[in-house]
Amino acid sequence: MSGLGVPSESVAHDGGLGGPPAQRRRTGLSRRGREICRGVLRQPILAACVVVVAVAVAAALAPAAFTGADPLRVRPTAKLHSPDGTHPFGTDQLGRDLFARVVHGAGLSLSCAAIAVLVGLIAGSLVGLTAGFVGGALDAAVMRLVDVLLAVPSLLLATTLVTTFGFGPVQTALAVGTSSVAGFARLMRAEVLRVREQAYVEAALVAGARRLSVLRRHILPHTRGAVLALTALDFGGAILAVSALGFLGFGAQPPTPEWGALVAGGRGYLDTAWWMTAAPGLAVVLTVLALNRISQAFDTPTGPR
Amino acid sequence: MAELVAVAPELGRGGVVGRYLAVRLAHSVFVVWAAYTLSFVILYLVPGDPVEMMVSSSGVISVTAQQIAQLRAEYGVDRPPPAQYLTNLWHALHLDFGRSLQRGQSALDIIGGALPSTLELAGAALLLAVLVGWALALGATVTRVRWLQRFLLALPALGVAVPSFFIGLVLLQVLSFRWHLLPAFGDDGPRGLILPAITLSVPTAAFLARMLAQSLWRVLADPHVTTARAKGLGRWRIHLRHALRNALPPVLAVAGVLVGNLLAGSVVVETVFSRPGLGRVVEAAVTSKDIPVVQALVVLFAVVFVTVNLLVDLAYHLLDPQVTVAMVRRR
């Protein structure tokens, strides 16, 4: 599992002399973008994963572009139709078009996962960054707290938080996000501690740079690879967690389509209408699989190739 | 903790190990206490009064203010939070987490009643996960056949991406409804345990397989493996006798998390298969906001986590006594 083939150091502070800073940055970024594209294209599976995620995001942003059918329209005459030309994923027990429901469900599922990841990423990174950079008693105290949060399984932590936040899609997203804060905090702290030992950080401090600017310019950019990998992985995990809570009925309430809730809705029709669980279930599987593979590309390889 | 340990190496080995375990034990007690405190803060202080919630959720309309006051006094929620916390903590130390707001029983009784069924399920799933996980990891690292290796490595990646409720439903659909091989619902005997145990074991098996395979690869690149190969030992012998033992510590390190996740996974799996157990208690308690039960569950999971980790520490020591000493020095 090789990486993207992109040098890990940031282009933004290469200290080159050519051109005004803004322009230099832009050419640097576009060169980096081209390199990433080339790296992705060399690996067909990775490219396919990027396409899957892109399609899922597009469905979340503009569901109307994929289907003209209304996900909430009930038609008693067309109930429990198996998949065919007019209904690619079949219809449910109320005659609603399942393809439309899965496509429209992408919006809620992915935005809930995105909220969860953002909460975990921002809060966790801030906590880890502060603990790692300040050190001392604060670091010890924060890390004990993180230990405690990691001692409770994340699914149980999320359901406990749902008790507090209440039911609903945004509430479950916040609960899932809060339960992932500890993981991000621990990773960020470890990365800060690793980078802080590097010679260039020492050099910058000796040269008289202020601690905050050292943190921003020299430490933060170098933690990016690991944090991005965890973010992509956590996005997949958040989709799973949000859909599990939705399946249990804590998330979106009917008739709003959400992937986990859609699978739960098909539970009573396993015998007669397999497509009701298969379609939303496979949507979750494909998206998470693709996100996990992309997350791997950010990481350094350990297995043989 | 560093200053505690600085003197440790001079005490001789028994002293070091004893001190190390004492520190670990103290840390475990701290984690359980902190989990209790944190869940108290989250559950009791944020959402408001549990009695009001109980009254409003049970749909009783004709409750007088006097009755509410009486209930509040009965559940002890009329006093200031710090006083409540101390009383509750005192009771919790005596294994009393309060009465369920919904069922009136003691929270611990409810959990105790549900525990055997979940332990049965989780035990079977853990056994299955360890067997399958090891088999996949060993198979993938031993084989020289490229496509087989790729296939064995692709399975864990798939396993961690599939939501467990979906696995359960697909198994039900195919094995119970289409082929009528196994019973679909209920907890009658070992046959009813097969599908839930498989479902629950998939994410754990996948995670285990991936970790063990990675760890094995690291160890197989070590000089002592090269030496063993140069001596002319067989592949399986090198794998099982020389590599596996050294590949275990990183896997053991996540055992606490794995067991916890396995137990937490029962929330979903028991719902899918309509089995009674801890998972159903979690679901019911969250749905009805039954705070004493939820809090007791959080503490129970924290206890399981620290217990498994203490056992892992002992296992480390048995695998390699030097590790314990090294860990004490590093801390």
Side-chain angles (χ1 to χ4, degrees), chain B residues 164-199:
Chain B
S164 55
F165 56 84
F166 187 55
I167 301 174
L169 290 177
V170 169
L171 286 177
L172 272 180
Q173 210 159 50
V174 177
L175 295 178
S176 296
F177 289 119
R178 194 152 308 165
W179 295 346
H180 303 286
L181 286 179
L182 290 162
F185 299 110
D187 60 337
D188 43 328
R191 273 166 62 79
L193 194 63
I194 298 176
L195 289 186
I198 293 177
T199 309

PDB file of all heavy atoms in Angstrom, chain B residues 164-199:
ATOM      1  N   SER B 164     -22.306  -3.826  11.474  1.00  0.00           N
ATOM      2  CA  SER B 164     -22.643  -5.160  11.956  1.00  0.00           C
ATOM      3  C   SER B 164     -24.131  -5.457  11.812  1.00  0.00           C
ATOM      4  O   SER B 164     -24.509  -6.606  11.610  1.00  0.00           O
ATOM      5  CB  SER B 164     -22.178  -5.342  13.391  1.00  0.00           C
ATOM      6  OG  SER B 164     -22.708  -4.332  14.195  1.00  0.00           O
ATOM      7  N   PHE B 165     -24.989  -4.423  11.874  1.00  0.00           N
ATOM      8  CA  PHE B 165     -26.407  -4.722  11.696  1.00  0.00           C
ATOM      9  C   PHE B 165     -26.677  -5.235  10.287  1.00  0.00           C
ATOM     10  O   PHE B 165     -27.535  -6.094  10.081  1.00  0.00           O
ATOM     11  CB  PHE B 165     -27.284  -3.500  12.019  1.00  0.00           C
ATOM     12  CG  PHE B 165     -26.973  -2.248  11.248  1.00  0.00           C
ATOM     13  CD1 PHE B 165     -27.497  -2.039   9.999  1.00  0.00           C
ATOM     14  CD2 PHE B 165     -26.158  -1.275  11.801  1.00  0.00           C
ATOM     15  CE1 PHE B 165     -27.225  -0.883   9.296  1.00  0.00           C
ATOM     16  CE2 PHE B 165     -25.876  -0.111  11.109  1.00  0.00           C
ATOM     17  CZ  PHE B 165     -26.412   0.088   9.849  1.00  0.00           C
ATOM     18  N   PHE B 166     -25.893  -4.766   9.325  1.00  0.00           N
ATOM     19  CA  PHE B 166     -26.082  -5.214   7.948  1.00  0.00           C
ATOM     20  C   PHE B 166     -25.637  -6.673   7.783  1.00  0.00           C
ATOM     21  O   PHE B 166     -26.329  -7.479   7.157  1.00  0.00           O
ATOM     22  CB  PHE B 166     -25.326  -4.290   7.000  1.00  0.00           C
ATOM     23  CG  PHE B 166     -25.591  -4.565   5.546  1.00  0.00           C
ATOM     24  CD1 PHE B 166     -26.888  -4.569   5.054  1.00  0.00           C
ATOM     25  CD2 PHE B 166     -24.554  -4.820   4.676  1.00  0.00           C
ATOM     26  CE1 PHE B 166     -27.140  -4.817   3.723  1.00  0.00           C
ATOM     27  CE2 PHE B 166     -24.794  -5.072   3.341  1.00  0.00           C
ATOM     28  CZ  PHE B 166     -26.092  -5.065   2.860  1.00  0.00           C
ATOM     29  N   ILE B 167     -24.481  -7.011   8.392  1.00  0.00           N
ATOM     30  CA  ILE B 167     -24.019  -8.407   8.352  1.00  0.00           C
ATOM     31  C   ILE B 167     -25.094  -9.309   8.925  1.00  0.00           C
ATOM     32  O   ILE B 167     -25.463 -10.342   8.342  1.00  0.00           O
ATOM     33  CB  ILE B 167     -22.737  -8.587   9.188  1.00  0.00           C
ATOM     34  CG1 ILE B 167     -21.637  -7.681   8.675  1.00  0.00           C
ATOM     35  CG2 ILE B 167     -22.271 -10.041   9.169  1.00  0.00           C
ATOM     36  CD1 ILE B 167     -20.407  -7.701   9.537  1.00  0.00           C
ATOM     37  N   GLY B 168     -25.631  -8.917  10.090  1.00  0.00           N
ATOM     38  CA  GLY B 168     -26.645  -9.725  10.757  1.00  0.00           C
ATOM     39  C   GLY B 168     -27.869  -9.916   9.885  1.00  0.00           C
ATOM     40  O   GLY B 168     -28.378 -11.034   9.735  1.00  0.00           O
ATOM     41  N   LEU B 169     -28.317  -8.834   9.261  1.00  0.00           N
ATOM     42  CA  LEU B 169     -29.529  -8.931   8.453  1.00  0.00           C
ATOM     43  C   LEU B 169     -29.300  -9.781   7.215  1.00  0.00           C
ATOM     44  O   LEU B 169     -30.170 -10.569   6.820  1.00  0.00           O
ATOM     45  CB  LEU B 169     -30.015  -7.529   8.056  1.00  0.00           C
ATOM     46  CG  LEU B 169     -30.569  -6.705   9.221  1.00  0.00           C
ATOM     47  CD1 LEU B 169     -30.962  -5.308   8.767  1.00  0.00           C
ATOM     48  CD2 LEU B 169     -31.762  -7.389   9.847  1.00  0.00           C
ATOM     49  N   VAL B 170     -28.116  -9.649   6.596  1.00  0.00           N
ATOM     50  CA  VAL B 170     -27.828 -10.468   5.407  1.00  0.00           C
ATOM     51  C   VAL B 170     -27.772 -11.946   5.786  1.00  0.00           C
ATOM     52  O   VAL B 170     -28.327 -12.807   5.089  1.00  0.00           O
ATOM     53  CB  VAL B 170     -26.507 -10.019   4.747  1.00  0.00           C
ATOM     54  CG1 VAL B 170     -26.075 -11.015   3.685  1.00  0.00           C
ATOM     55  CG2 VAL B 170     -26.669  -8.639   4.130  1.00  0.00           C
ATOM     56  N   LEU B 171     -27.115 -12.259   6.929  1.00  0.00           N
ATOM     57  CA  LEU B 171     -27.058 -13.653   7.384  1.00  0.00           C
ATOM     58  C   LEU B 171     -28.460 -14.203   7.628  1.00  0.00           C
ATOM     59  O   LEU B 171     -28.779 -15.323   7.222  1.00  0.00           O
ATOM     60  CB  LEU B 171     -26.241 -13.751   8.675  1.00  0.00           C
ATOM     61  CG  LEU B 171     -24.726 -13.608   8.552  1.00  0.00           C
ATOM     62  CD1 LEU B 171     -24.076 -13.654   9.915  1.00  0.00           C
ATOM     63  CD2 LEU B 171     -24.171 -14.712   7.665  1.00  0.00           C
ATOM     64  N   LEU B 172     -29.288 -13.382   8.297  1.00  0.00           N
ATOM     65  CA  LEU B 172     -30.666 -13.801   8.558  1.00  0.00           C
ATOM     66  C   LEU B 172     -31.398 -14.108   7.261  1.00  0.00           C
ATOM     67  O   LEU B 172     -32.061 -15.140   7.118  1.00  0.00           O
ATOM     68  CB  LEU B 172     -31.424 -12.679   9.270  1.00  0.00           C
ATOM     69  CG  LEU B 172     -31.371 -12.624  10.783  1.00  0.00           C
ATOM     70  CD1 LEU B 172     -32.171 -11.451  11.285  1.00  0.00           C
ATOM     71  CD2 LEU B 172     -31.940 -13.913  11.342  1.00  0.00           C
ATOM     72  N   GLN B 173     -31.244 -13.171   6.318  1.00  0.00           N
ATOM     73  CA  GLN B 173     -31.948 -13.277   5.057  1.00  0.00           C
ATOM     74  C   GLN B 173     -31.583 -14.564   4.321  1.00  0.00           C
ATOM     75  O   GLN B 173     -32.452 -15.310   3.877  1.00  0.00           O
ATOM     76  CB  GLN B 173     -31.533 -12.097   4.196  1.00  0.00           C
ATOM     77  CG  GLN B 173     -32.565 -11.620   3.252  1.00  0.00           C
ATOM     78  CD  GLN B 173     -32.235 -10.203   2.871  1.00  0.00           C
ATOM     79  OE1 GLN B 173     -31.107  -9.918   2.487  1.00  0.00           O
ATOM     80  NE2 GLN B 173     -33.188  -9.319   2.969  1.00  0.00           N
ATOM     81  N   VAL B 174     -30.262 -14.817   4.241  1.00  0.00           N
ATOM     82  CA  VAL B 174     -29.808 -15.944   3.436  1.00  0.00           C
ATOM     83  C   VAL B 174     -29.961 -17.262   4.200  1.00  0.00           C
ATOM     84  O   VAL B 174     -30.581 -18.207   3.710  1.00  0.00           O
ATOM     85  CB  VAL B 174     -28.343 -15.735   3.003  1.00  0.00           C
ATOM     86  CG1 VAL B 174     -27.850 -16.943   2.241  1.00  0.00           C
ATOM     87  CG2 VAL B 174     -28.234 -14.484   2.147  1.00  0.00           C
ATOM     88  N   LEU B 175     -29.400 -17.316   5.415  1.00  0.00           N
ATOM     89  CA  LEU B 175     -29.340 -18.604   6.113  1.00  0.00           C
ATOM     90  C   LEU B 175     -30.654 -18.995   6.776  1.00  0.00           C
ATOM     91  O   LEU B 175     -30.985 -20.171   6.856  1.00  0.00           O
ATOM     92  CB  LEU B 175     -28.225 -18.581   7.164  1.00  0.00           C
ATOM     93  CG  LEU B 175     -26.812 -18.453   6.593  1.00  0.00           C
ATOM     94  CD1 LEU B 175     -25.791 -18.400   7.707  1.00  0.00           C
ATOM     95  CD2 LEU B 175     -26.507 -19.617   5.667  1.00  0.00           C
ATOM     96  N   SER B 176     -31.402 -18.001   7.267  1.00  0.00           N
ATOM     97  CA  SER B 176     -32.635 -18.358   7.969  1.00  0.00           C
ATOM     98  C   SER B 176     -33.849 -18.349   7.054  1.00  0.00           C
ATOM     99  O   SER B 176     -34.649 -19.273   7.056  1.00  0.00           O
ATOM    100  CB  SER B 176     -32.887 -17.392   9.120  1.00  0.00           C
ATOM    101  OG  SER B 176     -31.882 -17.514  10.059  1.00  0.00           O
ATOM    102  N   PHE B 177     -33.980 -17.276   6.268  1.00  0.00           N
ATOM    103  CA  PHE B 177     -35.212 -17.148   5.503  1.00  0.00           C
ATOM    104  C   PHE B 177     -35.158 -17.881   4.167  1.00  0.00           C
ATOM    105  O   PHE B 177     -36.135 -18.469   3.743  1.00  0.00           O
ATOM    106  CB  PHE B 177     -35.554 -15.680   5.283  1.00  0.00           C
ATOM    107  CG  PHE B 177     -36.014 -15.006   6.537  1.00  0.00           C
ATOM    108  CD1 PHE B 177     -35.319 -13.936   7.063  1.00  0.00           C
ATOM    109  CD2 PHE B 177     -37.124 -15.473   7.215  1.00  0.00           C
ATOM    110  CE1 PHE B 177     -35.733 -13.333   8.235  1.00  0.00           C
ATOM    111  CE2 PHE B 177     -37.554 -14.869   8.383  1.00  0.00           C
ATOM    112  CZ  PHE B 177     -36.854 -13.793   8.891  1.00  0.00           C
ATOM    113  N   ARG B 178     -34.001 -17.850   3.502  1.00  0.00           N
ATOM    114  CA  ARG B 178     -33.953 -18.506   2.207  1.00  0.00           C
ATOM    115  C   ARG B 178     -33.653 -19.986   2.336  1.00  0.00           C
ATOM    116  O   ARG B 178     -34.301 -20.818   1.739  1.00  0.00           O
ATOM    117  CB  ARG B 178     -32.909 -17.826   1.316  1.00  0.00           C
ATOM    118  CG  ARG B 178     -33.066 -18.250  -0.131  1.00  0.00           C
ATOM    119  CD  ARG B 178     -32.592 -17.196  -1.097  1.00  0.00           C
ATOM    120  NE  ARG B 178     -33.190 -15.885  -0.854  1.00  0.00           N
ATOM    121  CZ  ARG B 178     -32.729 -14.762  -1.375  1.00  0.00           C
ATOM    122  NH1 ARG B 178     -31.658 -14.781  -2.132  1.00  0.00           N
ATOM    123  NH2 ARG B 178     -33.302 -13.607  -1.137  1.00  0.00           N
ATOM    124  N   TRP B 179     -32.621 -20.326   3.125  1.00  0.00           N
ATOM    125  CA  TRP B 179     -32.191 -21.724   3.191  1.00  0.00           C
ATOM    126  C   TRP B 179     -32.725 -22.458   4.417  1.00  0.00           C
ATOM    127  O   TRP B 179     -32.542 -23.657   4.538  1.00  0.00           O
ATOM    128  CB  TRP B 179     -30.652 -21.813   3.159  1.00  0.00           C
ATOM    129  CG  TRP B 179     -30.083 -21.322   1.865  1.00  0.00           C
ATOM    130  CD1 TRP B 179     -30.763 -21.094   0.701  1.00  0.00           C
ATOM    131  CD2 TRP B 179     -28.726 -20.989   1.597  1.00  0.00           C
ATOM    132  NE1 TRP B 179     -29.912 -20.629  -0.272  1.00  0.00           N
ATOM    133  CE2 TRP B 179     -28.650 -20.560   0.261  1.00  0.00           C
ATOM    134  CE3 TRP B 179     -27.561 -21.008   2.372  1.00  0.00           C
ATOM    135  CZ2 TRP B 179     -27.462 -20.152  -0.328  1.00  0.00           C
ATOM    136  CZ3 TRP B 179     -26.377 -20.607   1.785  1.00  0.00           C
ATOM    137  CH2 TRP B 179     -26.336 -20.175   0.449  1.00  0.00           C
ATOM    138  N   HIS B 180     -33.341 -21.736   5.349  1.00  0.00           N
ATOM    139  CA  HIS B 180     -33.931 -22.332   6.559  1.00  0.00           C
ATOM    140  C   HIS B 180     -32.937 -23.215   7.306  1.00  0.00           C
ATOM    141  O   HIS B 180     -33.274 -24.301   7.763  1.00  0.00           O
ATOM    142  CB  HIS B 180     -35.179 -23.144   6.204  1.00  0.00           C
ATOM    143  CG  HIS B 180     -36.208 -22.335   5.480  1.00  0.00           C
ATOM    144  ND1 HIS B 180     -36.986 -21.402   6.109  1.00  0.00           N
ATOM    145  CD2 HIS B 180     -36.552 -22.287   4.174  1.00  0.00           C
ATOM    146  CE1 HIS B 180     -37.775 -20.815   5.234  1.00  0.00           C
ATOM    147  NE2 HIS B 180     -37.530 -21.328   4.044  1.00  0.00           N
ATOM    148  N   LEU B 181     -31.688 -22.771   7.387  1.00  0.00           N
ATOM    149  CA  LEU B 181     -30.673 -23.581   8.058  1.00  0.00           C
ATOM    150  C   LEU B 181     -30.669 -23.355   9.563  1.00  0.00           C
ATOM    151  O   LEU B 181     -30.496 -24.279  10.340  1.00  0.00           O
ATOM    152  CB  LEU B 181     -29.283 -23.237   7.505  1.00  0.00           C
ATOM    153  CG  LEU B 181     -28.970 -23.772   6.111  1.00  0.00           C
ATOM    154  CD1 LEU B 181     -27.586 -23.326   5.686  1.00  0.00           C
ATOM    155  CD2 LEU B 181     -29.039 -25.286   6.129  1.00  0.00           C
ATOM    156  N   LEU B 182     -30.842 -22.092   9.967  1.00  0.00           N
ATOM    157  CA  LEU B 182     -30.696 -21.760  11.380  1.00  0.00           C
ATOM    158  C   LEU B 182     -31.895 -20.929  11.828  1.00  0.00           C
ATOM    159  O   LEU B 182     -32.507 -20.227  11.020  1.00  0.00           O
ATOM    160  CB  LEU B 182     -29.404 -20.952  11.581  1.00  0.00           C
ATOM    161  CG  LEU B 182     -28.116 -21.749  11.399  1.00  0.00           C
ATOM    162  CD1 LEU B 182     -26.941 -20.828  11.182  1.00  0.00           C
ATOM    163  CD2 LEU B 182     -27.879 -22.641  12.595  1.00  0.00           C
ATOM    164  N   PRO B 183     -32.217 -21.005  13.120  1.00  0.00           N
ATOM    165  CA  PRO B 183     -33.347 -20.216  13.611  1.00  0.00           C
ATOM    166  C   PRO B 183     -33.056 -18.716  13.485  1.00  0.00           C
ATOM    167  O   PRO B 183     -31.906 -18.285  13.643  1.00  0.00           O
ATOM    168  CB  PRO B 183     -33.463 -20.638  15.075  1.00  0.00           C
ATOM    169  CG  PRO B 183     -32.137 -21.178  15.430  1.00  0.00           C
ATOM    170  CD  PRO B 183     -31.587 -21.784  14.182  1.00  0.00           C
ATOM    171  N   ALA B 184     -34.089 -17.935  13.212  1.00  0.00           N
ATOM    172  CA  ALA B 184     -33.889 -16.512  12.965  1.00  0.00           C
ATOM    173  C   ALA B 184     -33.804 -15.710  14.253  1.00  0.00           C
ATOM    174  O   ALA B 184     -32.945 -14.853  14.402  1.00  0.00           O
ATOM    175  CB  ALA B 184     -35.015 -15.977  12.084  1.00  0.00           C
ATOM    176  N   PHE B 185     -34.705 -15.982  15.183  1.00  0.00           N
ATOM    177  CA  PHE B 185     -34.758 -15.122  16.369  1.00  0.00           C
ATOM    178  C   PHE B 185     -34.738 -15.959  17.635  1.00  0.00           C
ATOM    179  O   PHE B 185     -34.859 -17.175  17.607  1.00  0.00           O
ATOM    180  CB  PHE B 185     -36.019 -14.266  16.330  1.00  0.00           C
ATOM    181  CG  PHE B 185     -36.055 -13.362  15.146  1.00  0.00           C
ATOM    182  CD1 PHE B 185     -36.954 -13.575  14.109  1.00  0.00           C
ATOM    183  CD2 PHE B 185     -35.161 -12.309  15.044  1.00  0.00           C
ATOM    184  CE1 PHE B 185     -36.970 -12.746  13.011  1.00  0.00           C
ATOM    185  CE2 PHE B 185     -35.178 -11.476  13.947  1.00  0.00           C
ATOM    186  CZ  PHE B 185     -36.082 -11.690  12.924  1.00  0.00           C
ATOM    187  N   GLY B 186     -34.614 -15.267  18.749  1.00  0.00           N
ATOM    188  CA  GLY B 186     -34.696 -15.923  20.040  1.00  0.00           C
ATOM    189  C   GLY B 186     -33.343 -16.413  20.512  1.00  0.00           C
ATOM    190  O   GLY B 186     -32.345 -16.329  19.801  1.00  0.00           O
ATOM    191  N   ASP B 187     -33.302 -16.924  21.736  1.00  0.00           N
ATOM    192  CA  ASP B 187     -32.032 -17.336  22.317  1.00  0.00           C
ATOM    193  C   ASP B 187     -32.074 -18.805  22.718  1.00  0.00           C
ATOM    194  O   ASP B 187     -31.493 -19.215  23.715  1.00  0.00           O
ATOM    195  CB  ASP B 187     -31.705 -16.470  23.542  1.00  0.00           C
ATOM    196  CG  ASP B 187     -32.774 -16.610  24.599  1.00  0.00           C
ATOM    197  OD1 ASP B 187     -33.902 -16.986  24.247  1.00  0.00           O
ATOM    198  OD2 ASP B 187     -32.476 -16.339  25.766  1.00  0.00           O
ATOM    199  N   ASP B 188     -32.790 -19.622  21.933  1.00  0.00           N
ATOM    200  CA  ASP B 188     -32.944 -21.016  22.323  1.00  0.00           C
ATOM    201  C   ASP B 188     -31.718 -21.833  21.923  1.00  0.00           C
ATOM    202  O   ASP B 188     -31.537 -22.179  20.763  1.00  0.00           O
ATOM    203  CB  ASP B 188     -34.217 -21.617  21.705  1.00  0.00           C
ATOM    204  CG  ASP B 188     -34.378 -21.206  20.261  1.00  0.00           C
ATOM    205  OD1 ASP B 188     -33.935 -20.082  19.943  1.00  0.00           O
ATOM    206  OD2 ASP B 188     -34.913 -21.978  19.446  1.00  0.00           O
ATOM    207  N   GLY B 189     -30.892 -22.116  22.925  1.00  0.00           N
ATOM    208  CA  GLY B 189     -29.792 -23.060  22.737  1.00  0.00           C
ATOM    209  C   GLY B 189     -28.683 -22.581  21.830  1.00  0.00           C
ATOM    210  O   GLY B 189     -28.694 -21.453  21.350  1.00  0.00           O
ATOM    211  N   PRO B 190     -27.714 -23.473  21.622  1.00  0.00           N
ATOM    212  CA  PRO B 190     -26.526 -23.102  20.846  1.00  0.00           C
ATOM    213  C   PRO B 190     -26.829 -22.768  19.383  1.00  0.00           C
ATOM    214  O   PRO B 190     -26.137 -21.957  18.786  1.00  0.00           O
ATOM    215  CB  PRO B 190     -25.627 -24.335  20.963  1.00  0.00           C
ATOM    216  CG  PRO B 190     -26.463 -25.430  21.499  1.00  0.00           C
ATOM    217  CD  PRO B 190     -27.631 -24.827  22.185  1.00  0.00           C
ATOM    218  N   ARG B 191     -27.869 -23.379  18.807  1.00  0.00           N
ATOM    219  CA  ARG B 191     -28.156 -23.077  17.411  1.00  0.00           C
ATOM    220  C   ARG B 191     -28.563 -21.618  17.214  1.00  0.00           C
ATOM    221  O   ARG B 191     -28.246 -21.003  16.193  1.00  0.00           O
ATOM    222  CB  ARG B 191     -29.255 -24.004  16.893  1.00  0.00           C
ATOM    223  CG  ARG B 191     -28.729 -25.318  16.348  1.00  0.00           C
ATOM    224  CD  ARG B 191     -29.861 -26.311  16.172  1.00  0.00           C
ATOM    225  NE  ARG B 191     -30.858 -25.841  15.211  1.00  0.00           N
ATOM    226  CZ  ARG B 191     -30.689 -25.916  13.881  1.00  0.00           C
ATOM    227  NH1 ARG B 191     -29.593 -26.434  13.399  1.00  0.00           N
ATOM    228  NH2 ARG B 191     -31.617 -25.493  13.069  1.00  0.00           N
ATOM    229  N   GLY B 192     -29.257 -21.084  18.215  1.00  0.00           N
ATOM    230  CA  GLY B 192     -29.662 -19.685  18.126  1.00  0.00           C
ATOM    231  C   GLY B 192     -28.502 -18.731  18.355  1.00  0.00           C
ATOM    232  O   GLY B 192     -28.602 -17.534  18.099  1.00  0.00           O
ATOM    233  N   LEU B 193     -27.387 -19.280  18.851  1.00  0.00           N
ATOM    234  CA  LEU B 193     -26.236 -18.426  19.173  1.00  0.00           C
ATOM    235  C   LEU B 193     -25.336 -18.228  17.956  1.00  0.00           C
ATOM    236  O   LEU B 193     -24.578 -17.256  17.891  1.00  0.00           O
ATOM    237  CB  LEU B 193     -25.446 -19.091  20.300  1.00  0.00           C
ATOM    238  CG  LEU B 193     -24.406 -18.260  21.038  1.00  0.00           C
ATOM    239  CD1 LEU B 193     -25.079 -17.116  21.747  1.00  0.00           C
ATOM    240  CD2 LEU B 193     -23.657 -19.127  22.033  1.00  0.00           C
ATOM    241  N   ILE B 194     -25.436 -19.132  16.980  1.00  0.00           N
ATOM    242  CA  ILE B 194     -24.460 -19.141  15.883  1.00  0.00           C
ATOM    243  C   ILE B 194     -24.463 -17.819  15.103  1.00  0.00           C
ATOM    244  O   ILE B 194     -23.431 -17.147  14.990  1.00  0.00           O
ATOM    245  CB  ILE B 194     -24.732 -20.323  14.930  1.00  0.00           C
ATOM    246  CG1 ILE B 194     -24.569 -21.646  15.696  1.00  0.00           C
ATOM    247  CG2 ILE B 194     -23.774 -20.283  13.748  1.00  0.00           C
ATOM    248  CD1 ILE B 194     -24.911 -22.864  14.889  1.00  0.00           C
ATOM    249  N   LEU B 195     -25.632 -17.442  14.592  1.00  0.00           N
ATOM    250  CA  LEU B 195     -25.676 -16.236  13.749  1.00  0.00           C
ATOM    251  C   LEU B 195     -25.288 -14.966  14.522  1.00  0.00           C
ATOM    252  O   LEU B 195     -24.463 -14.194  14.034  1.00  0.00           O
ATOM    253  CB  LEU B 195     -27.064 -16.083  13.115  1.00  0.00           C
ATOM    254  CG  LEU B 195     -27.403 -17.091  12.016  1.00  0.00           C
ATOM    255  CD1 LEU B 195     -28.738 -16.743  11.379  1.00  0.00           C
ATOM    256  CD2 LEU B 195     -26.319 -17.121  10.963  1.00  0.00           C
ATOM    257  N   PRO B 196     -25.848 -14.737  15.726  1.00  0.00           N
ATOM    258  CA  PRO B 196     -25.420 -13.535  16.454  1.00  0.00           C
ATOM    259  C   PRO B 196     -23.923 -13.526  16.737  1.00  0.00           C
ATOM    260  O   PRO B 196     -23.278 -12.480  16.625  1.00  0.00           O
ATOM    261  CB  PRO B 196     -26.215 -13.604  17.760  1.00  0.00           C
ATOM    262  CG  PRO B 196     -27.353 -14.492  17.493  1.00  0.00           C
ATOM    263  CD  PRO B 196     -26.939 -15.445  16.427  1.00  0.00           C
ATOM    264  N   ALA B 197     -23.367 -14.699  17.085  1.00  0.00           N
ATOM    265  CA  ALA B 197     -21.939 -14.737  17.415  1.00  0.00           C
ATOM    266  C   ALA B 197     -21.100 -14.408  16.172  1.00  0.00           C
ATOM    267  O   ALA B 197     -20.126 -13.660  16.262  1.00  0.00           O
ATOM    268  CB  ALA B 197     -21.559 -16.105  17.971  1.00  0.00           C
ATOM    269  N   ILE B 198     -21.489 -14.975  15.025  1.00  0.00           N
ATOM    270  CA  ILE B 198     -20.749 -14.653  13.796  1.00  0.00           C
ATOM    271  C   ILE B 198     -20.819 -13.150  13.536  1.00  0.00           C
ATOM    272  O   ILE B 198     -19.811 -12.491  13.278  1.00  0.00           O
ATOM    273  CB  ILE B 198     -21.332 -15.427  12.592  1.00  0.00           C
ATOM    274  CG1 ILE B 198     -21.080 -16.926  12.759  1.00  0.00           C
ATOM    275  CG2 ILE B 198     -20.712 -14.939  11.287  1.00  0.00           C
ATOM    276  CD1 ILE B 198     -21.674 -17.760  11.650  1.00  0.00           C
ATOM    277  N   THR B 199     -22.033 -12.598  13.623  1.00  0.00           N
ATOM    278  CA  THR B 199     -22.214 -11.170  13.346  1.00  0.00           C
ATOM    279  C   THR B 199     -21.341 -10.317  14.253  1.00  0.00           C
ATOM    280  O   THR B 199     -20.659  -9.390  13.805  1.00  0.00           O
ATOM    281  CB  THR B 199     -23.685 -10.792  13.563  1.00  0.00           C
ATOM    282  OG1 THR B 199     -24.505 -11.689  12.853  1.00  0.00           O
ATOM    283  CG2 THR B 199     -23.947  -9.375  13.106  1.00  0.00           C
TER     284      THR B 199
END
